[in-house]
């Protein structure tokens, strides 16, 4: 019997899901690092906290869209280790995959396929969107799940904001979403 179970994520999974995310994306970033890019750094404690808060946000607004793959613990009463995660949200007629990954030590065992099937089952017949890394395993899994893949732009450098036109109704990125922007778990 398979000792890895796919189940809904719970609040008490957030820290271990973040740890799995940090390890998974660290390796993916190392693999996809381009010559001239800075060395890949492990996720900082601040960034880990932000990642946990982001997963908690999705868990709060669409708990059925958040799944974990858990390796059963060997002993009695053990909670097990999160070895994979998929966080998604249904928003009207759109489904969005926010983050998804499997620990490198557990890849190639069908865990990612099972996680993807679980969140796609939650998506129903909604159109889907996600932004992927260039990791070959990730792009392969998305293609095998039936997604059409389209290139993204990669830009580097500093934007001279004085040359940009003023746009009303936007806020700076990287900050928590203020309460007035949310109504019933959705952005206003």
């Amino acid at each position: 019997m398979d000792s890895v179970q796919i189940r809904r994520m719970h609040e008490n999974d957030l820290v271990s899901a973040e740890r799995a995310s940090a390890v998974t994306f660290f390796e993916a970033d190392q693999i996809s690092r381009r010559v001239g890019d800075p060395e890949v750094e492990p996720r900082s404690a601040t960034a880990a906290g932000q990642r946990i808060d982001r997963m908690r946000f999705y868990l709060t607004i669409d708990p059925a869209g958040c799944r974990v793959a858990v390796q059963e613990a060997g002993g009695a009463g053990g909670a097990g280790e999160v070895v994979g995660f998929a966080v998604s949200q249904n928003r009207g007629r759109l489904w969005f995959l926010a983050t998804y990954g499997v620990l490198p030590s557990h890849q190639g065992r069908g865990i990612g396929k099972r996680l993807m099937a679980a969140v796609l089952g939650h998506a129903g017949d909604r159109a889907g969107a996600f932004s992927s890394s260039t990791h070959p395993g990730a792009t392969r899994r998305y293609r095998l799940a039936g997604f059409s893949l389209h290139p993204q732009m990669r830009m580097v450098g500093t934007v001279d904001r004085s040359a940009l036109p003023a746009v009303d109704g936007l806020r700076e990125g990287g900050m928590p979403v203020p309460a007035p922007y949310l109504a019933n778990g959705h952005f206003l």
Side-chain angles (χ1 to χ4, degrees):
M1 178 164 167
D2 188 0
S3 63
V4 175
Q5 300 300 315
I6 308 300
R7 63 166 173 77
R8 282 191 180 188
M9 181 184 284
H10 305 292
E11 176 80 19
N12 61 355
D13 294 319
L14 290 172
V15 171
S16 56
E18 186 286 321
R19 281 190 212 120
S21 168
V23 170
T24 301
F25 290 120
F26 180 75
E27 182 174 286
D29 289 345
Q30 287 180 314
I31 290 170
S32 61
R33 182 179 167 269
R34 297 177 182 187
V35 174
D37 282 354
E39 288 293 324
V40 178
E41 301 278 334
R43 191 176 289 162
S44 69
T46 300
Q50 290 170 337
R51 182 65 60 120
I52 290 169
D53 289 345
R54 187 173 303 129
M55 286 190 290
R56 181 179 290 116
F57 171 78
Y58 287 106
L59 186 60
T60 300
I61 62 170
D62 193 358
C66 302
R67 304 293 174 130
V68 288
V70 179
Q71 176 81 48
E72 292 179 1
E81 172 193 12
V82 172
V83 298
F85 52 91
V87 177
S88 69
Q89 176 192 6
N90 285 341
R91 186 171 172 188
R93 297 184 315 203
L94 178 69
W95 170 81
F96 174 70
L97 181 63
T99 189
Y100 163 75
V102 175
L103 282 173
S105 61
H106 285 72
Q107 291 174 6
R109 300 181 190 179
I111 297 168
K113 181 179 183 176
R114 292 168 48 209
L115 277 167
M116 183 62 73
V119 293
L120 285 174
H122 173 64
D125 61 355
R126 290 171 179 82
F130 64 92
S131 178
S132 174
S133 71
T134 57
H135 187 284
T139 54
R140 180 177 182 273
R141 172 56 40 220
Y142 295 131
R143 188 68 192 109
L144 288 172
F147 288 99
S148 297
L149 304 179
H150 303 279
Q152 297 178 166
M153 291 191 316
R154 178 178 187 269
M155 297 197 236
V156 244
T158 304
V159 174
D160 178 4
R161 291 179 177 256
S162 68
L164 299 175
V167 178
D168 291 330
L170 298 178
R171 63 177 178 78
E172 287 294 320
M175 300 181 300
V177 178
Y181 286 91
L182 296 174
N184 298 325
H186 298 286
F187 291 100
L188 295 176

